[in-house]
């Protein structure tokens, strides 16, 4: 799919995300805005998935390790056809299957339950290892936050992936420089991330995580380095696309007022570049 069309889809997902957070009175809107371009490129360009056959054994897998941004994943899945678009209106409601964190048992297209940070990459290493053992061609992708990279379990998984030459595994780090309550630099600053992953034997790319041309190129199968897992450090902005949310730590977990909601939607309705 052409980058311009991907940008339009991402913009549509952003608008629906903001409305769902506003209507539900809860959500992680800032981190969702930073990850939506990545999710859009994955589901509408890079990944081999079929909404009519969500358990196809030959499908590519995505693990959203930063599970608190589940709403962005749900809306992306609805745009792709895995779940009805109208179901997004049930987000966080009583008996809804669209909970605050993804649930593989309930939601088609979700590959594993996530929430506790630092678990998604280890699970993805297991998936990629399984594909190697089966001599299968499908790829495994995992998205983590940059604050999440402070978890030691991730670095154990990083070592294992390099040891077993999992070139069918791609780690995407949503590097928006902010985590709950503080900047990454003010807590446990794991940046710069690229040289650390390279030191562990990974093939690493750094990109603008809101540039569709760069994202799609980085995710393309022909750019995989044989014998090495891939890490894409995607430099993003928390609250991307909304002026008062952008790069603002307060919007990790906050609900817009009616006036803020209307301003956000008005800004997002501007034509995507």
């Amino acid at each position: 799919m052409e980058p311009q069309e991907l940008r339009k889809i991402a913009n549509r997902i952003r608008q629906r995300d903001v409305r769902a957070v506003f209507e539900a009175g809860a959500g992680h809107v800032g981190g969702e805005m930073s990850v939506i371009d990545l999710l859009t490129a994955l589901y509408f360009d890079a990944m081999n998935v079929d909404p009519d056959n969500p358990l196809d054994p030959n499908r590519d897998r995505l693990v959203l390790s930063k599970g608190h941004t589940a709403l962005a994943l749900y809306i992306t899945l609805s745009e792709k056809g895995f779940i009805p678009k109208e179901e997004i209106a049930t987000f966080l409601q009583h008996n809804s299957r669209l909970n605050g964190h993804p649930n593989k048992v309930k939601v088609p297209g979700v590959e594993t339950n996530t929430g506790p940070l630092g678990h998604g990459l280890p699970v993805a290493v297991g998936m990629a290892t399984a594909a190697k053992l089966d001599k299968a061609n499908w790829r495994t992708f995992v998205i983590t936050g940059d604050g999440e990279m402070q978890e030691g379990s991730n670095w154990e998984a990083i070592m294992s992936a390099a040891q077993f030459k999992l070139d069918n595994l791609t780690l995407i780090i949503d590097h928006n420089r902010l985590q709950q309550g503080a900047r990454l630099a003010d807590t446990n600053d794991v940046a710069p991330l690229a040289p650390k992953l390279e030191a562990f034997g990974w093939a690493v790319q750094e990109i603008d995580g809101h540039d569709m041309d760069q994202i799609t190129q980085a995710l393309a199968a022909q750019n995989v380095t044989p014998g090495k897992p891939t890490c894409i450090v995607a430099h993003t902005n928390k609250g991307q696309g909304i002026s008062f949310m952008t790069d603002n730590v307060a919007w990790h977990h906050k609900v817009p007022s009616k006036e803020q909601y209307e301003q956000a939607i008005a800004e997002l309705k501007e034509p995507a570049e």
Side-chain angles (χ1 to χ4, degrees), residues 137-262:
N137 293 324
W138 51 269
R139 301 171 67 192
T140 300
F141 300 87
V142 56
I143 299 178
T144 69
D146 49 5
E148 182 180 0
M149 295 305 294
Q150 296 162 349
E151 298 281 355
S153 52
N154 281 324
W155 296 96
E156 294 179 33
I158 286 165
M159 287 188 285
S160 295
Q163 173 69 27
F164 297 114
K165 305 183 188 307
L166 299 181
D167 50 12
N168 57 347
L169 173 67
T170 297
L171 163 64
I172 307 163
I173 302 175
D174 182 13
H175 192 10
N176 62 28
R177 307 172 306 284
L178 298 172
Q179 57 193 112
Q180 184 169 351
R183 290 191 167 272
L184 186 73
D186 297 330
T187 52
N188 182 2
D189 194 2
V190 291
L193 289 156
K196 294 178 176 65
L197 271 291
E198 288 172 345
F200 277 89
W202 285 54
V204 184
Q205 305 175 61
E206 292 195 74
I207 65 168
D208 178 342
H210 300 304
D211 184 314
M212 281 298 180
D213 292 282
Q214 292 187 35
I215 298 169
T216 53
Q217 183 175 351
L219 291 171
Q222 61 263 31
N223 288 326
V224 168
T225 301
K228 286 189 174 187
T230 296
C231 175
I232 299 170
V233 179
H235 294 272
T236 61
N237 295 309
K238 202 154 199 156
Q240 173 72 11
I242 303 169
S243 59
F244 59 89
M245 290 187 191
T246 301
D247 199 36
N248 186 339
V249 71
W251 286 97
H252 178 86
H253 189 276
K254 188 177 179 180
V255 179
S257 66
K258 185 175 185 294
E259 293 74 20
Q260 289 171 325
Y261 164 69
E262 291 173 349

Side-chain angles (χ1 to χ4, degrees), residues 13-221:
I13 294 171
R14 279 193 171 87
Q15 292 181 51
R16 188 65 187 93
D17 191 290
V18 173
R19 180 156 70 94
V21 169
F22 176 69
E23 292 172 347
H28 290 82
V29 67
E32 286 155 7
M33 295 300 108
S34 71
V35 80
I36 282 171
D37 292 316
L38 301 170
L39 288 171
T40 301
L42 282 163
Y43 278 94
F44 291 90
D45 187 75
M47 290 174 58
N48 174 33
V49 291
D50 181 1
D52 294 326
N53 188 11
L55 296 178
D56 180 354
N58 295 314
R59 71 192 183 280
D60 292 332
R61 274 76 163 171
L62 170 70
V63 176
L64 183 66
S65 191
K66 50 177 290 180
H68 53 282
T69 59
L71 177 57
L73 176 61
Y74 298 150
I75 299 171
T76 305
L77 291 173
S78 74
E79 285 282 335
K80 188 69 176 177
F82 282 91
I83 60 176
K85 288 185 178 181
E86 56 269 24
E87 189 174 356
I88 301 301
T90 72
F91 177 61
L92 295 182
Q93 291 187 9
H94 183 60
N95 285 334
S96 171
R97 59 181 177 171
L98 304 185
N99 297 320
H101 292 83
N103 188 321
K104 175 179 172 58
V105 176
K106 296 182 178 180
V107 184
V110 172
E111 293 294 345
T112 190
N113 295 24
T114 53
L117 299 178
H119 291 187
L121 181 56
V123 170
V125 167
M127 291 176 172
T129 302
K132 286 286 187 183
L133 291 172
D134 287 344
K135 295 180 170 51
N137 293 324
W138 51 269
R139 301 171 67 192
T140 300
F141 300 87
V142 56
I143 299 178
T144 69
D146 49 5
E148 182 180 0
M149 295 305 294
Q150 296 162 349
E151 298 281 355
S153 52
N154 281 324
W155 296 96
E156 294 179 33
I158 286 165
M159 287 188 285
S160 295
Q163 173 69 27
F164 297 114
K165 305 183 188 307
L166 299 181
D167 50 12
N168 57 347
L169 173 67
T170 297
L171 163 64
I172 307 163
I173 302 175
D174 182 13
H175 192 10
N176 62 28
R177 307 172 306 284
L178 298 172
Q179 57 193 112
Q180 184 169 351
R183 290 191 167 272
L184 186 73
D186 297 330
T187 52
N188 182 2
D189 194 2
V190 291
L193 289 156
K196 294 178 176 65
L197 271 291
E198 288 172 345
F200 277 89
W202 285 54
V204 184
Q205 305 175 61
E206 292 195 74
I207 65 168
D208 178 342
H210 300 304
D211 184 314
M212 281 298 180
D213 292 282
Q214 292 187 35
I215 298 169
T216 53
Q217 183 175 351
L219 291 171

